[in-house]
Amino acid sequence: MSGLVFNDVSKHFGNFAAVDRVNLSVPHGTFVCMLGPSGCGKTTLLRMVAGLEEPTTGTILLDGKDITPVPTHKRNLGMVFQSLALFPHLTVGENVAYPLRIRSMAKEEQKKRVEELLTLIHLPGYAERPVSKLSGGQRQRVAIARALALSPRLFLLDEPLSALDAKLREAMQVELRQLQQKLGITTIVVTHDQREAMTMADLVVVMGDGRIRQAASPIDIYRKPADAFVADFIGSTNLLTVEADSAGRAIVLGQPVPGLSLPNGMAKGLISIRPEDVHLAKNANGGIRGKVTFIRDLGGTIETFVDASGTTIVAVTTPRERGDITAGAEVNVVLPADSCVVLKQ
Ligand code: ATP
């Protein structure tokens, strides 16, 4: 296969498995975001792709070739780390040209390539500027240009945007995605920011305790989480206990959810329902009875917290959908069956 393949890759530090039997195929040209809580093994997995860490077991293939024994500098990859590691005393042009100089590219050719790369990252004409005079976002772009100078086969980034403020980070996410699409380069980004992953990725890989919990498109991860860990980690969700009654109906907080049934053999489980899918009505028939405890008006959206027999359910609406529901109101919480994902407990 053209692309990157992980075959049963593990990394142990002593008795501890930082990465635990990872199997994954990444087709060429895919933008992958590795996502997961701190310590779940994202960076270790990326470092193994980079050749900075040796797998304890398993192999990594690039375009069908086993690269596990290949040293970093022969893997044909570009890397950007959180620290950027730019040379502060050099100009933008000198920084970007550094890998070209190491490869002894002719001076004129270097100059041409640097200008090409600076145009690509929207900093044309910046070659003579000292790197120390650039803004955070501009430095980020210079680090990206330097990593791409030798047209690598693989582009690896570890938390590349985490030092930027929220607004700039969002702009850079879009820019990075557009750049990757333009170049069609297989890219792996490690992040703990799920919005970042949802914005940029073709393939989101959610990790937990060294293992891949789910690898799927952003929308599938959001709409069809594989388990409660993924559902809870990506976006916010309501995780509620569900039980089958003797008539086979799915019961949540004492009430049947019309149209919902549990898979054969499952007596008890969880449902995940996103706050934007929860309906609240003041005088509806059916649904779960509850009391509004708190309303958070965020301007564009409104979060309504409902207490139902000691369990909090969160609903998100637009201001227009809010109606006349206020704190303290008794409401019926309606869970549409087609928005409920049934998960093992
Ligand atoms: P973060 O988001 O905090 O960077 P991460 O998901 O990237 O976390 P890793 O850096 O891959 O996590 O670390 C995974 C686990 O392996 C952690 O528990 C970490 O302490 C451990 N670990 C990583 N490198 C080493 C090492 N060289 N020696 C011992 N343990 C290590």
Side-chain angles (χ1 to χ4, degrees):
M1 184 192 99
S2 156
L4 188 67
V5 175
F6 297 85
N7 272 332
D8 236 9
V9 174
S10 296
K11 178 69 190 179
H12 293 213
F13 294 110
N15 289 332
F16 174 70
V19 172
D20 195 8
R21 285 163 289 161
V22 161
N23 287 289
L24 182 69
S25 289
V26 177
H28 178 69
T30 307
F31 197 126
V32 182
C33 280
M34 301 266 182
L35 192 61
S38 186
C40 70
K42 310 179 289 287
T43 295
T44 305
L45 192 59
L46 192 81
R47 285 173 59 81
M48 287 194 277
V49 178
L52 300 170
E53 208 77 72
E54 200 184 329
T56 311
T57 61
T59 51
I60 300 172
L61 310 184
L62 181 59
D63 298 333
K65 181 177 169 238
D66 183 2
I67 57 165
T68 327
V70 178
T72 300
H73 67 280
K74 294 207 170 137
R75 289 193 184 195
N76 193 9
L77 22 104
M79 287 185 270
V80 175
F81 294 102
Q82 190 181 344
S83 63
L84 301 187
L86 292 173
F87 304 113
H89 54 288
L90 299 185
T91 63
V92 168
E94 287 164 340
N95 264 282
V96 175
Y98 187 77
L100 308 175
R101 198 152 61 82
I102 298 280
R103 293 287 168 103
S104 310
M105 187 186 265
K107 272 258 156 51
E108 267 316 298
E109 235 180 299
Q110 278 187 35
K111 215 169 151 210
K112 210 169 124 222
R113 179 73 180 137
V114 166
E115 247 342 289
E116 216 172 81
L117 287 157
L118 292 182
T119 304
L120 190 69
I121 56 155
H122 308 304
L123 290 177
Y126 271 64
E128 301 307 320
R129 300 252 186 127
V131 145
S132 53
K133 298 263 159 59
L134 299 183
S135 71
Q138 289 171 333
R139 265 181 229 191
Q140 200 73 42
R141 292 196 212 137
V142 174
I144 289 170
R146 187 179 61 180
L148 294 174
L150 291 169
S151 306
R153 191 80 185 138
L154 255 183
F155 191 24
L156 309 177
L157 304 100
D158 192 355
E159 303 270 0
L161 310 178
S162 59
L164 306 177
D165 68 55
K167 228 177 174 151
L168 186 55
R169 195 163 67 223
E170 297 226 335
M172 283 298 296
Q173 288 163 6
V174 174
E175 212 171 286
L176 189 55
R177 173 57 170 166
Q178 286 171 338
L179 179 66
Q180 184 270 344
Q181 279 176 327
K182 197 165 175 179
L183 300 175
I185 184 172
T186 310
T187 300
I188 305 181
V189 175
V190 161
T191 178
H192 59 256
D193 180 339
Q194 38 135 326
R195 267 179 75 89
E196 193 160 296
M198 302 295 280
T199 306
M200 300 193 297
D202 297 304
L203 181 69
V204 176
V205 177
V206 182
M207 293 187 66
D209 295 331
R211 295 201 180 171
I212 294 184
R213 307 297 285 255
Q214 191 171 7
S217 69
I219 199 65
D220 275 357
I221 292 266
Y222 189 78
R223 285 280 156 213
K224 299 178 207 156
D227 57 25
F229 175 88
V230 175
D232 201 29
F233 190 74
I234 305 290
S236 48
T237 198
N238 294 285
L239 285 172
L240 306 168
T241 304
V242 60
E243 282 179 276
D245 71 0
S246 53
R249 297 178 308 171
I251 308 293
V252 176
L253 290 164
Q255 292 295 323
V257 179
L260 188 68
S261 56
L262 300 194
N264 273 345
M266 187 191 270
K268 197 172 175 186
L270 290 171
I271 59 161
S272 164
I273 181 162
R274 300 290 177 188
E276 65 270 23
D277 294 325
V278 172
H279 293 301
L280 302 180
K282 247 181 155 174
N283 295 305
N285 285 326
I288 299 157
R289 205 71 191 139
K291 187 172 181 174
V292 175
T293 53
F294 186 65
I295 293 179
R296 177 154 53 193
D297 192 340
L298 297 167
T301 54
I302 294 169
E303 295 173 2
T304 306
F305 295 73
V306 179
D307 177 77
S309 318
T311 297
T312 300
I313 301 173
V314 184
V316 169
T317 56
T318 62
R320 207 176 301 176
E321 293 162 342
R322 177 179 171 181
D324 58 352
I325 292 172
T326 50
E330 298 277 343
V331 288
N332 286 57
V333 181
V334 178
L335 310 175
D338 58 1
S339 304
C340 296
V341 181
V342 179
L343 304 167
K344 281 194 213 128
Q345 211 168 14

